[in-house]
């Protein structure tokens, strides 16, 4: 009996949420900018407000029972005050304007912040913003951002989201609410900015000698990377223990800051061939580990302004141009390569 009751309640809750989300999609559609008005503001009593109503009702019943006009007058006064607070709550919450960009980038494990701009024409109080999806709640983060006083002008709040897996992640709607004034009512809206995050693989360092840049992407077999390269200052090659007298510019600061030791970066120049980062050349059998190695190499080569291409075909013998990114350099090329890693099946 208890099991059937549990599934019945679960089914009713799922049905309610599905119908409510369908109503929200029509009432408050997805867009980059929202302006609060009577069409998209929900106002309902808080627990304190419901307790207030219960007390007013009790006073009214006492006045009616004893036919005491003073007690009845008090109940009418308290009821009118309740309605006045509701109107004041709406006045405090209306005319707010919100806008936000829908896409952000970041790495697995990082906190990705979604900026939301709040524009006000008058002074507002107790504005709270948080993600509607409870699965995004992280106990180690402050998931709710609050403005005690929002003066006239534009304010920016940053909603934190901690990425836990690689790929495209939809963040869902944003709840904005206020319990001003006196906490009797909660003014609330559920906005949809179509927020989503493109989460890159977390970079994983390659130890010295485990990988070097290969030649053309359509070469059937890579026999020896050393045969097509010579020492120089163009291409990132490997990390080696720092030797006294070496230039400090070669220091691997990331590894030093993490306490992994003092290493120096070594580079090599190519003999005219286009250089490629290949998924099939990465060490390890786990696809996620190989993508993390590629993420590390992309960042390292971009840091030294090295031209490189990206080949995400798992088989080095059969090529697939749809999974290739042509050799280039710069921030835009880095972002394109990292996005390709994030969206890799």
């Amino acid at each position: 009996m208890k099991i059937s009751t549990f599934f019945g309640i679960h089914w009713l809750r799922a049905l309610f949420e599905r119908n409510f989300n369908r109503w929200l999609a029509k009432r408050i559609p997805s867009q980059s900018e929202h302006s609060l008005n009577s069409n998209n503001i929900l106002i309902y009593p808080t627990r304190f407000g419901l307790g207030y109503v219960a007390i007013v009702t009790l006073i009214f019943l006492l006045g009616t029972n004893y036919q005491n006009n003073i007690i009845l007058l008090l109940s009418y006064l308290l009821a009118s005050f309740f309605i006045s607070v509701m109107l004041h709550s709406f006045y405090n919450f209306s005319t707010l304007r919100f806008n936000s960009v829908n896409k952000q980038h970041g790495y697995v494990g990082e906190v990705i912040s979604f900026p939301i701009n709040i524009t006000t024409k008058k002074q507002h109080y107790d504005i709270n913003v948080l993600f509607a999806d409870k699965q995004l709640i992280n106990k180690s983060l402050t998931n709710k951002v609050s403005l005690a006083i929002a003066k006239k002008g534009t304010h920016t709040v940053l909603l934190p989201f901690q990425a836990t897996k690689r790929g495209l992640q939809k963040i869902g709607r944003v709840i904005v609410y206020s319990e001003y004034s006196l906490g009797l009512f909660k003014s609330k809206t559920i906005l949809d900015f179509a927020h989503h995050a493109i989460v890159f693989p977390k970079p994983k360092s390659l130890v010295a000698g485990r990988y070097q840049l290969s030649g053309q992407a359509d070469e059937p077999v890579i026999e020896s990377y050393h045969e097509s390269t010579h020492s120089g200052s163009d291409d990132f090659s490997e990390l080696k223990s720092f030797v006294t007298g070496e230039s400090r510019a070669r220091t691997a600061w990331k590894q030093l800051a993490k306490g992994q030791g003092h290493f120096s970066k070594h580079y090599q120049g190519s003999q005219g061939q286009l250089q490629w980062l290949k998924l099939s050349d990465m060490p390890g059998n786990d696809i996620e580990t190989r993508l993390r190695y590629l993420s590390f190499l992309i960042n390292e080569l971009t840091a030294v302004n090295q031209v490189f291409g990206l080949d995400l075909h798992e088989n080095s013998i059969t090529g697939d141009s749809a999974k290739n990114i042509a050799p280039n350099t710069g921030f835009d090329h880095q972002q394109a390569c990292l996005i390709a890693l994030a969206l890799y099946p």
Side-chain angles (χ1 to χ4, degrees):
M1 184 64 180
K2 291 183 178 180
I3 296 177
S4 61
T5 302
F6 171 78
F7 281 107
I9 294 174
H10 182 74
W11 180 82
L12 288 175
R13 182 181 299 174
L15 179 63
F16 172 78
E17 289 181 355
R18 184 165 58 251
N19 291 332
F20 181 70
N21 290 332
R22 189 181 299 116
W23 176 82
L24 267 182
K26 294 180 180 179
R27 187 81 172 187
I28 311 176
S30 173
Q31 53 191 27
S32 61
E33 185 170 337
H34 297 269
S35 180
L36 300 191
N37 51 50
S38 58
N39 291 327
N40 51 22
I41 294 178
L42 308 172
I43 298 182
Y44 53 89
T46 61
R47 291 183 179 180
F48 176 58
L50 293 175
Y52 183 93
V53 171
I55 292 174
V56 172
T57 303
L58 179 61
I59 293 174
F60 174 76
L61 292 175
L62 287 173
T64 302
N65 184 58
Y66 291 102
Q67 296 183 353
N68 189 313
N69 290 334
I70 295 179
I71 297 178
L72 286 173
L73 180 62
L74 177 61
S75 66
Y76 297 151
L77 180 63
L78 292 175
S80 63
F81 177 77
F82 185 76
I83 296 174
S84 298
V85 171
M86 180 181 65
L87 296 175
H88 196 205
S89 299
F90 175 81
Y91 176 77
N92 174 68
F93 206 57
S94 62
T95 72
L96 285 169
R97 295 182 68 87
F98 298 84
N99 67 81
S100 178
V101 294
N102 64 345
K103 181 173 67 175
Q104 294 294 327
H105 298 157
Y107 295 91
V108 172
E110 285 187 347
V111 175
I112 303 174
S113 295
F114 287 85
I116 298 178
N117 299 317
I118 306 174
T119 304
T120 64
K121 295 182 179 179
K122 61 180 186 288
Q123 189 161 286
H124 299 260
Y125 301 91
D126 188 38
I127 306 302
N128 304 277
V129 186
L130 71 159
F131 288 120
D133 190 350
K134 294 181 179 179
Q135 295 181 355
L136 300 179
I137 294 177
N138 191 313
K139 294 182 179 180
S140 62
L141 295 176
T142 302
N143 299 284
K144 181 180 71 174
V145 182
S146 302
L147 289 176
I149 300 177
K151 297 182 178 180
K152 182 178 179 180
T154 300
H155 309 266
T156 300
V157 297
L158 299 177
L159 272 184
F161 159 69
Q162 187 164 31
T164 57
K165 59 182 180 179
R166 173 182 64 88
L168 176 65
Q169 297 190 29
K170 295 183 179 180
I171 310 302
R173 289 181 174 266
V174 172
I175 294 176
V176 183
Y177 73 91
S178 174
E179 294 186 0
Y180 181 85
S181 61
L182 301 180
L184 292 176
F185 287 91
K186 175 178 281 190
S187 303
K188 178 179 177 180
T189 186
I190 308 176
L191 307 177
D192 188 359
F193 297 101
H195 280 152
H196 64 277
I198 298 180
V199 184
F200 309 142
K202 184 178 182 179
K204 185 174 183 179
S205 301
L206 279 171
V207 297
R210 291 189 67 177
Y211 182 77
Q212 293 178 325
L213 288 175
S214 63
Q216 300 286 356
D218 56 356
E219 289 180 354
V221 179
I222 305 299
E223 295 179 354
S224 175
Y225 302 132
H226 292 281
E227 291 179 359
S228 63
T229 59
H230 63 278
S231 297
S233 59
D234 295 328
D235 305 342
F236 175 76
S237 173
E238 59 187 4
L239 294 176
K240 292 183 178 180
S241 297
F242 184 82
V243 177
T244 304
E246 282 189 304
S247 172
R248 291 281 179 177
R250 290 179 175 268
T251 296
W253 296 108
K254 288 184 179 180
Q255 284 71 21
L256 183 61
K258 293 178 180 179
Q260 297 176 353
H262 196 170
F263 296 94
S264 60
K265 298 178 181 179
H266 290 258
Y267 306 91
Q268 59 189 14
S270 64
Q271 294 182 343
Q273 284 187 320
L274 293 178
Q275 304 300 302
W276 290 83
L277 296 176
K278 293 187 175 184
L279 178 64
S280 58
D281 291 342
M282 293 296 102
N285 297 322
D286 179 22
I287 188 67
E288 295 300 326
T289 301
R290 292 156 68 188
L291 291 174
R292 290 181 63 187
Y293 284 141
L294 283 176
S295 180
F296 168 77
L297 291 172
I298 289 169
N299 291 336
E300 289 293 319
L301 296 178
T302 302
V304 296
N305 203 32
Q306 168 66 45
V307 177
F308 65 92
L310 181 65
D311 180 6
L312 292 180
H313 200 275
E314 290 192 73
N315 191 332
S316 61
I317 298 178
T318 59
D320 185 353
S321 60
K323 294 184 178 180
N324 292 345
I325 296 180
N328 206 334
T329 188
F331 176 77
D332 291 339
H333 180 60
Q334 177 193 28
Q335 292 299 298
C337 292
L338 289 175
I339 291 174
L341 297 185
L343 302 182
Y344 187 83

